[in-house]
């Protein structure tokens, strides 16, 4: 069946549409919390992206915010999202359940790094805590002028555990700056994020970012999709720790199969 955005209407605060042929657009809009995420929100986020990856005619996924002041202010701690996994009768049960809860949370946040469909994030306004975890898993990140970033978890007394500490060392080019920002929980701007290699570029507005993402997506859509998704997968494999030798072996097998299929041999 062709991709139909109406099939995604059940998700509160999420709007799924298109920016062009093959380009899905996921927008999160919860202005009352500046796009903070409850447990239901991040579960929905992971499910939406997983479903979109399975759509045969979706070739690129663009993720943005419908809130002018914020891509995401992080986890909705007031909603109890941080401690809701603490079920069980004994300390051991509570520990096991909480660890399982954290891993479920991680699984949802890191969907973009596991799927083969490229993702582009438009990062505007506040990008604190969970926002960095989410965006670090995207293939491409576009910043909006005035955007502010913070690995803020130490400010509430925890270590970031949804992927930013694991992914950012392979993304940024200044490890000392990474330690500084992560240990201090301070705020850095879009210009510094670009200098660190975290952003591809900076645009003046979310609309301009969406226009650019749409143009890039249209260019990707012109290539054979096995080539685009294979490129995304094999870069991600190396970022995830696969050796160069294993990567070369995998891409040889992948291209041999797909080139022969394209040539109808």
């Amino acid at each position: 069946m062709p991709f139909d955005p109406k099939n995604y209407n059940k998700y509160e605060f999420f709007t799924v549409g298109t920016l062009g042929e093959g380009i899905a657009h996921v927008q999160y809009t919860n202005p009352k919390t500046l796009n903070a995420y409850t447990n239901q929100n991040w579960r929905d986020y992971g499910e939406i992206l997983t479903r979109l990856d399975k759509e045969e005619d979706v070739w690129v996924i663009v993720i943005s915010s419908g809130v002018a002041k914020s891509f995401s202010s992080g986890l909705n701690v007031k909603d109890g999202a941080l401690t809701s996994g603490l079920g069980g009768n004994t300390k051991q049960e509570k520990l096991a359940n909480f660890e399982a809860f954290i891993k479920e949370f991680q699984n949802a946040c890191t969907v973009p790094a596991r799927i083969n469909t490229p993702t582009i994030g438009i990062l505007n306004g506040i990008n604190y805590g969970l926002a960095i975890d989410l965006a670090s898993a995207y293939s491409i990140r576009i910043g909006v002028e005035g955007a502010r970033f913070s690995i803020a978890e130490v400010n509430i007394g925890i270590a970031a555990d949804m992927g930013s500490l694991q992914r950012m060392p392979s993304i940024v080019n200044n490890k000392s700056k990474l330690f500084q920002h992560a240990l201090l929980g301070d705020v850095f701007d879009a210009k510094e994020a670009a200098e660190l290699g975290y952003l591809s570029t900076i645009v003046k507005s979310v609309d301009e970012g969406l226009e650019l993402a749409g143009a890039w997506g249209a260019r990707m859509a012109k290539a054979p999709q096995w080539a685009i998704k294979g490129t995304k997968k094999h870069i991600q494999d190396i970022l995830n720790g696969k050796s160069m030798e294993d990567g070369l072996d995998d891409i040889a097998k992948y291209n041999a199969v797909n080139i022969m299929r394209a040539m109808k041999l």
Side-chain angles (χ1 to χ4, degrees):
M1 292 180 61
F3 167 56
D4 185 353
K6 293 179 181 178
N7 293 331
Y8 294 79
N9 287 344
K10 71 174 185 177
Y11 300 102
E12 187 179 19
F13 304 122
F14 287 95
T15 302
V16 178
T18 63
L19 295 179
E21 184 179 0
I23 309 168
H25 177 210
V26 179
Q27 186 179 69
Y28 183 55
T29 307
N30 188 355
K32 288 184 179 180
T33 67
L34 291 177
N35 274 3
Y37 279 69
T38 66
N39 290 335
Q40 186 59 53
N41 299 152
W42 58 254
R43 288 186 173 103
D44 288 346
Y45 170 89
E47 185 174 307
I48 289 168
L49 297 182
T50 299
R51 288 182 60 189
L52 287 172
D53 184 53
K54 296 177 182 177
E55 300 273 8
E56 292 185 0
D57 48 354
V58 168
W59 308 322
V60 184
I61 303 170
V62 178
I63 300 134
S64 74
S65 163
V67 178
K69 294 181 178 180
S70 179
F71 178 75
S72 175
S73 58
L75 184 63
N76 192 334
V77 179
K78 292 182 180 179
D79 188 64
L82 184 64
T83 57
S84 61
L86 286 170
N89 296 319
T90 67
K91 183 176 181 179
Q92 188 173 11
E93 287 177 348
K94 290 179 180 179
L95 181 62
N97 289 337
F98 197 34
E99 183 177 349
F101 166 78
I102 292 172
K103 288 183 177 179
E104 180 193 5
F105 195 174
Q106 291 173 335
N107 185 65
C109 293
T110 57
V111 167
R114 294 198 310 277
I115 61 177
N116 291 333
T117 306
T119 52
I120 303 174
I122 315 297
L123 310 181
N124 68 296
I126 293 171
N127 294 262
Y128 292 175
L130 181 62
I132 302 288
D133 295 307
L134 299 178
S136 293
Y138 299 156
S139 310
I140 298 171
R141 288 165 293 278
I142 297 172
V144 177
E145 286 185 359
R148 305 182 302 283
F149 302 86
S150 178
I151 308 169
E153 282 82 352
V154 293
N155 295 327
I156 61 171
I158 67 171
D161 56 358
M162 292 298 130
S164 58
L165 301 185
Q166 289 69 41
R167 298 191 187 282
M168 287 190 73
S170 63
I171 295 173
V172 303
N173 54 37
N174 188 325
K175 306 305 186 286
S176 179
K177 280 282 190 179
L178 174 57
F179 270 112
Q180 173 193 324
H181 291 315
L183 292 170
L184 297 179
D186 57 7
V187 177
F188 54 101
D189 62 16
K191 180 181 178 182
E192 184 174 350
E195 290 172 349
L196 287 170
Y198 191 71
L199 300 176
S200 290
T201 189
I202 301 172
V203 295
K204 293 182 179 179
S205 66
V206 172
D207 286 343
E208 186 176 326
L210 291 172
E211 183 178 352
L212 179 59
W216 286 351
R219 289 179 60 185
M220 295 180 207
K222 292 180 180 179
Q225 287 313 293
W226 68 264
I228 291 295
K229 294 194 175 187
T231 297
K232 193 272 188 186
K233 176 187 184 304
H234 288 90
I235 292 175
Q236 191 68 57
D237 284 348
I238 298 301
L239 292 176
N240 290 347
K242 180 170 284 189
S243 71
M244 183 182 296
E245 290 75 14
D246 287 342
L248 287 169
D249 185 56
D250 286 347
I251 196 66
K253 294 175 181 176
Y254 183 86
N255 269 7
V257 169
N258 285 285
I259 291 172
M260 288 185 66
R261 181 182 293 124
M263 296 175 67
K264 299 180 179 179
L265 295 176

